[in-house]
Amino acid sequence: METTNGIKNGAKKEKQTLDLKTKALDIFSKYSMVIILIGLLLAFQLMTDGIFWRPLNITNIVLQNSHILVLAAGMLLVVLLGHVDLSVGSVMAFVGAISGILMVNWNMSPWLAVPICIAIGAIIGAWQGYWVAYFGIPAFIVTLAGLLMFRGLTQVVLGGQSLSPFPEIFQKISTGYLPDLTDGSVHLLTMILGVLIAAALVFGQWRTREKRKNNLFEVESMNAFTLKAVMTAVVMIGVTYIFASYQGYPVILVILGVIVAAYAFLTNKTVAGRQIYATGGNRKAAELSGIKTKKITFWVFVNMGAMAALAGLILAARLNAATPQAGTSMELDAMAAVYFGGASTSGGVGTIVGTIVGGLVMGVLNNGMSILGVGVDWQQAIKGLILLLAVVLDIYNKKKKAA
């Protein structure tokens, strides 16, 4: 009898251990890039003797990578459909050149020039999306042609020269900060906004949990939820304090926040978002379900063109110049951010939060390695290796789920 009980207890413990391992693997698979990002932040803080987390450096990471994060947000929808857009770097340069002509040569107001430039980017996206969606030409070919064409047109528009300076108000897009309410050492307006955002995030998590619970879906325990909510609030307020210790939230960070919120709403709460995921997951099934996949593809490329234009304007504002070399290889950085963030190469899988985390991983790597004195050549090699590992992890997870 004792032997039988021992066998049962042993089997029970083995099952519990297996369940714990499975849960741990699921958590790592779901939050792998967040874990990697936190690990990088801690590692670089130690290796740089405390320089990395200084408010000025954290602010610089955001300013230096803002245009890549904007590009990555647009690229996410393209990748969700199972496509890629190789032309975005060239579109950035071309729109930046147009903005230089409008604001530097013609003295046009930025309030008028910026919408015109974004509209030009959307038209470029419509041009490319038309061939992909309605003629069935592979996006790789169409956007490769766009890469060459718009890089050449940038040279034509600028005549091989750079245009500068831009109006001061336009430069504030990339170099400006929110105004302060006081003259204290801590930026009060930023702290107030940070607390409000933290409260909104926690409330959103609670609302999502209650909705899932009411719909009889499985939810985490109250203790696990409380821990997650507290960590969210602590991280948000902690990051806000870092920014508030310097000059407060940069204007571009506010723009990025609006973009992330808009894309999160689009992908999670709208019919169009569900149709994008369905089209990328299985195009034939989506068509049989009545989804107009061609229309979806067309508008996703229009969106990508507009986002590439916005990224081009952000880069031009930061450099205070429109240059023929702007945006070189940015398409690779944008795609890497999307894939780092957990998007599938075959489409149908990916989130905006994951994409932003993936972009931040790249930015943190670039910044940390630069502080440590690692050469650009080695930086490129390391980023390439990490990209390969991200794709390998994606394929591994797919095979594991299929099994």
mmCIF file of all heavy atoms in Angstrom, residues 207-229:
data_model
loop_
_atom_site.group_PDB
_atom_site.id
_atom_site.type_symbol
_atom_site.label_atom_id
_atom_site.label_comp_id
_atom_site.label_asym_id
_atom_site.label_seq_id
_atom_site.Cartn_x
_atom_site.Cartn_y
_atom_site.Cartn_z
ATOM 1 N N ARG A 207 -9.829 46.182 -16.557
ATOM 2 C CA ARG A 207 -11.018 46.087 -17.404
ATOM 3 C C ARG A 207 -10.951 44.872 -18.328
ATOM 4 O O ARG A 207 -11.941 44.155 -18.533
ATOM 5 C CB ARG A 207 -11.111 47.353 -18.263
ATOM 6 C CG ARG A 207 -12.537 47.839 -18.405
ATOM 7 C CD ARG A 207 -12.589 49.149 -19.089
ATOM 8 N NE ARG A 207 -13.685 49.086 -20.033
ATOM 9 C CZ ARG A 207 -13.923 49.989 -20.938
ATOM 10 N NH1 ARG A 207 -13.146 51.008 -21.063
ATOM 11 N NH2 ARG A 207 -14.940 49.869 -21.722
ATOM 12 N N THR A 208 -9.770 44.635 -18.898
ATOM 13 C CA THR A 208 -9.582 43.471 -19.778
ATOM 14 C C THR A 208 -9.807 42.183 -19.002
ATOM 15 O O THR A 208 -10.458 41.244 -19.497
ATOM 16 C CB THR A 208 -8.162 43.490 -20.380
ATOM 17 O OG1 THR A 208 -7.989 44.687 -21.130
ATOM 18 C CG2 THR A 208 -7.943 42.293 -21.285
ATOM 19 N N ARG A 209 -9.289 42.125 -17.778
ATOM 20 C CA ARG A 209 -9.456 40.923 -16.959
ATOM 21 C C ARG A 209 -10.939 40.678 -16.639
ATOM 22 O O ARG A 209 -11.426 39.540 -16.745
ATOM 23 C CB ARG A 209 -8.656 41.069 -15.658
ATOM 24 C CG ARG A 209 -8.722 39.839 -14.751
ATOM 25 C CD ARG A 209 -7.908 40.074 -13.484
ATOM 26 N NE ARG A 209 -7.887 38.858 -12.675
ATOM 27 C CZ ARG A 209 -8.819 38.511 -11.804
ATOM 28 N NH1 ARG A 209 -9.885 39.292 -11.640
ATOM 29 N NH2 ARG A 209 -8.708 37.398 -11.109
ATOM 30 N N GLU A 210 -11.649 41.754 -16.286
ATOM 31 C CA GLU A 210 -13.064 41.610 -15.961
ATOM 32 C C GLU A 210 -13.878 41.174 -17.179
ATOM 33 O O GLU A 210 -14.804 40.358 -17.051
ATOM 34 C CB GLU A 210 -13.603 42.938 -15.409
ATOM 35 C CG GLU A 210 -13.109 43.275 -14.013
ATOM 36 C CD GLU A 210 -13.471 42.213 -13.000
ATOM 37 O OE1 GLU A 210 -14.677 41.914 -12.852
ATOM 38 O OE2 GLU A 210 -12.548 41.657 -12.359
ATOM 39 N N LYS A 211 -13.516 41.718 -18.325
ATOM 40 C CA LYS A 211 -14.236 41.348 -19.556
ATOM 41 C C LYS A 211 -14.040 39.875 -19.876
ATOM 42 O O LYS A 211 -14.987 39.156 -20.211
ATOM 43 C CB LYS A 211 -13.730 42.213 -20.708
ATOM 44 C CG LYS A 211 -14.644 42.226 -21.913
ATOM 45 C CD LYS A 211 -14.011 43.062 -22.998
ATOM 46 C CE LYS A 211 -15.039 44.009 -23.540
ATOM 47 N NZ LYS A 211 -14.516 44.813 -24.637
ATOM 48 N N ARG A 212 -12.785 39.407 -19.773
ATOM 49 C CA ARG A 212 -12.497 37.988 -20.023
ATOM 50 C C ARG A 212 -13.206 37.107 -18.990
ATOM 51 O O ARG A 212 -13.726 36.039 -19.326
ATOM 52 C CB ARG A 212 -10.986 37.740 -19.974
ATOM 53 C CG ARG A 212 -10.226 38.317 -21.159
ATOM 54 C CD ARG A 212 -8.729 38.034 -21.036
ATOM 55 N NE ARG A 212 -8.470 36.606 -21.036
ATOM 56 C CZ ARG A 212 -8.369 35.843 -22.108
ATOM 57 N NH1 ARG A 212 -8.517 36.380 -23.309
ATOM 58 N NH2 ARG A 212 -8.121 34.560 -22.006
ATOM 59 N N LYS A 213 -13.242 37.565 -17.752
ATOM 60 C CA LYS A 213 -13.886 36.800 -16.692
ATOM 61 C C LYS A 213 -15.390 36.682 -16.942
ATOM 62 O O LYS A 213 -15.991 35.618 -16.782
ATOM 63 C CB LYS A 213 -13.616 37.485 -15.357
ATOM 64 C CG LYS A 213 -14.076 36.691 -14.147
ATOM 65 C CD LYS A 213 -13.682 37.440 -12.882
ATOM 66 C CE LYS A 213 -14.208 36.698 -11.657
ATOM 67 N NZ LYS A 213 -13.878 37.432 -10.416
ATOM 68 N N ASN A 214 -16.011 37.795 -17.349
ATOM 69 C CA ASN A 214 -17.459 37.793 -17.629
ATOM 70 C C ASN A 214 -17.812 36.922 -18.831
ATOM 71 O O ASN A 214 -18.920 36.388 -18.916
ATOM 72 C CB ASN A 214 -17.949 39.217 -17.874
ATOM 73 C CG ASN A 214 -17.906 40.060 -16.610
ATOM 74 O OD1 ASN A 214 -17.949 39.526 -15.507
ATOM 75 N ND2 ASN A 214 -17.780 41.370 -16.761
ATOM 76 N N ASN A 215 -16.850 36.786 -19.763
ATOM 77 C CA ASN A 215 -17.065 35.942 -20.940
ATOM 78 C C ASN A 215 -16.617 34.501 -20.718
ATOM 79 O O ASN A 215 -16.498 33.712 -21.659
ATOM 80 C CB ASN A 215 -16.337 36.523 -22.155
ATOM 81 C CG ASN A 215 -16.973 37.815 -22.634
ATOM 82 O OD1 ASN A 215 -18.180 37.997 -22.532
ATOM 83 N ND2 ASN A 215 -16.157 38.722 -23.165
ATOM 84 N N LEU A 216 -16.341 34.188 -19.423
ATOM 85 C CA LEU A 216 -15.984 32.818 -18.995
ATOM 86 C C LEU A 216 -14.655 32.332 -19.567
ATOM 87 O O LEU A 216 -14.439 31.132 -19.745
ATOM 88 C CB LEU A 216 -17.109 31.833 -19.374
ATOM 89 C CG LEU A 216 -18.501 32.168 -18.812
ATOM 90 C CD1 LEU A 216 -19.507 31.127 -19.274
ATOM 91 C CD2 LEU A 216 -18.461 32.247 -17.276
ATOM 92 N N PHE A 217 -13.733 33.282 -19.865
ATOM 93 C CA PHE A 217 -12.388 32.905 -20.260
ATOM 94 C C PHE A 217 -11.528 32.732 -19.007
ATOM 95 O O PHE A 217 -11.817 33.303 -17.943
ATOM 96 C CB PHE A 217 -11.758 33.975 -21.163
ATOM 97 C CG PHE A 217 -12.298 33.983 -22.563
ATOM 98 C CD1 PHE A 217 -13.155 34.998 -22.984
ATOM 99 C CD2 PHE A 217 -11.972 32.986 -23.464
ATOM 100 C CE1 PHE A 217 -13.655 35.019 -24.272
ATOM 101 C CE2 PHE A 217 -12.468 32.998 -24.751
ATOM 102 C CZ PHE A 217 -13.316 34.017 -25.160
ATOM 103 N N GLU A 218 -10.465 31.970 -19.154
ATOM 104 C CA GLU A 218 -9.547 31.774 -18.037
ATOM 105 C C GLU A 218 -8.759 33.055 -17.795
ATOM 106 O O GLU A 218 -8.254 33.682 -18.736
ATOM 107 C CB GLU A 218 -8.590 30.620 -18.336
ATOM 108 C CG GLU A 218 -7.695 30.268 -17.160
ATOM 109 C CD GLU A 218 -6.755 29.114 -17.468
ATOM 110 O OE1 GLU A 218 -6.923 28.488 -18.538
ATOM 111 O OE2 GLU A 218 -5.873 28.851 -16.645
ATOM 112 N N VAL A 219 -8.644 33.482 -16.531
ATOM 113 C CA VAL A 219 -7.881 34.680 -16.176
ATOM 114 C C VAL A 219 -6.888 34.339 -15.080
ATOM 115 O O VAL A 219 -7.034 33.322 -14.388
ATOM 116 C CB VAL A 219 -8.811 35.825 -15.704
ATOM 117 C CG1 VAL A 219 -9.726 36.282 -16.826
ATOM 118 C CG2 VAL A 219 -9.616 35.402 -14.479
ATOM 119 N N GLU A 220 -5.863 35.212 -14.917
ATOM 120 C CA GLU A 220 -4.885 34.988 -13.868
ATOM 121 C C GLU A 220 -5.517 35.210 -12.491
ATOM 122 O O GLU A 220 -6.556 35.873 -12.378
ATOM 123 C CB GLU A 220 -3.677 35.899 -14.049
ATOM 124 C CG GLU A 220 -3.946 37.382 -13.813
ATOM 125 C CD GLU A 220 -4.290 38.101 -15.093
ATOM 126 O OE1 GLU A 220 -5.432 37.898 -15.573
ATOM 127 O OE2 GLU A 220 -3.472 38.875 -15.591
ATOM 128 N N SER A 221 -4.885 34.676 -11.479
ATOM 129 C CA SER A 221 -5.387 34.869 -10.118
ATOM 130 C C SER A 221 -5.284 36.332 -9.725
ATOM 131 O O SER A 221 -4.533 37.103 -10.327
ATOM 132 C CB SER A 221 -4.580 34.013 -9.136
ATOM 133 O OG SER A 221 -3.247 34.478 -9.077
ATOM 134 N N MET A 222 -6.028 36.726 -8.676
ATOM 135 C CA MET A 222 -6.004 38.117 -8.230
ATOM 136 C C MET A 222 -4.614 38.522 -7.746
ATOM 137 O O MET A 222 -4.173 39.654 -7.962
ATOM 138 C CB MET A 222 -7.038 38.327 -7.113
ATOM 139 C CG MET A 222 -7.142 39.765 -6.628
ATOM 140 S SD MET A 222 -7.383 40.983 -7.963
ATOM 141 C CE MET A 222 -9.085 40.642 -8.390
ATOM 142 N N ASN A 223 -3.906 37.584 -7.107
ATOM 143 C CA ASN A 223 -2.541 37.883 -6.659
ATOM 144 C C ASN A 223 -1.613 38.161 -7.839
ATOM 145 O O ASN A 223 -0.817 39.103 -7.816
ATOM 146 C CB ASN A 223 -1.982 36.720 -5.830
ATOM 147 C CG ASN A 223 -2.646 36.617 -4.472
ATOM 148 O OD1 ASN A 223 -3.175 37.597 -3.965
ATOM 149 N ND2 ASN A 223 -2.618 35.426 -3.879
ATOM 150 N N ALA A 224 -1.727 37.324 -8.890
ATOM 151 C CA ALA A 224 -0.898 37.510 -10.085
ATOM 152 C C ALA A 224 -1.249 38.823 -10.782
ATOM 153 O O ALA A 224 -0.359 39.561 -11.244
ATOM 154 C CB ALA A 224 -1.086 36.335 -11.041
ATOM 155 N N PHE A 225 -2.544 39.126 -10.833
ATOM 156 C CA PHE A 225 -2.971 40.376 -11.458
ATOM 157 C C PHE A 225 -2.457 41.580 -10.663
ATOM 158 O O PHE A 225 -1.975 42.560 -11.250
ATOM 159 C CB PHE A 225 -4.496 40.439 -11.560
ATOM 160 C CG PHE A 225 -5.004 41.792 -11.971
ATOM 161 C CD1 PHE A 225 -4.938 42.191 -13.300
ATOM 162 C CD2 PHE A 225 -5.532 42.677 -11.031
ATOM 163 C CE1 PHE A 225 -5.383 43.444 -13.680
ATOM 164 C CE2 PHE A 225 -5.976 43.924 -11.407
ATOM 165 C CZ PHE A 225 -5.906 44.317 -12.736
ATOM 166 N N THR A 226 -2.562 41.519 -9.345
ATOM 167 C CA THR A 226 -2.089 42.625 -8.502
ATOM 168 C C THR A 226 -0.599 42.850 -8.689
ATOM 169 O O THR A 226 -0.130 44.000 -8.799
ATOM 170 C CB THR A 226 -2.386 42.324 -7.017
ATOM 171 O OG1 THR A 226 -3.791 42.109 -6.853
ATOM 172 C CG2 THR A 226 -1.945 43.479 -6.136
ATOM 173 N N LEU A 227 0.165 41.753 -8.752
ATOM 174 C CA LEU A 227 1.615 41.856 -8.976
ATOM 175 C C LEU A 227 1.908 42.518 -10.311
ATOM 176 O O LEU A 227 2.766 43.413 -10.404
ATOM 177 C CB LEU A 227 2.255 40.464 -8.903
ATOM 178 C CG LEU A 227 3.767 40.405 -9.154
ATOM 179 C CD1 LEU A 227 4.514 41.208 -8.104
ATOM 180 C CD2 LEU A 227 4.243 38.955 -9.180
ATOM 181 N N LYS A 228 1.177 42.086 -11.355
ATOM 182 C CA LYS A 228 1.384 42.662 -12.691
ATOM 183 C C LYS A 228 1.031 44.151 -12.708
ATOM 184 O O LYS A 228 1.755 44.964 -13.286
ATOM 185 C CB LYS A 228 0.539 41.907 -13.714
ATOM 186 C CG LYS A 228 0.770 42.357 -15.158
ATOM 187 C CD LYS A 228 0.069 41.455 -16.152
ATOM 188 C CE LYS A 228 -1.413 41.739 -16.196
ATOM 189 N NZ LYS A 228 -2.089 41.041 -17.325
ATOM 190 N N ALA A 229 -0.077 44.507 -12.045
ATOM 191 C CA ALA A 229 -0.514 45.905 -12.011
ATOM 192 C C ALA A 229 0.494 46.779 -11.272
ATOM 193 O O ALA A 229 0.832 47.882 -11.711
ATOM 194 C CB ALA A 229 -1.882 46.000 -11.353
#
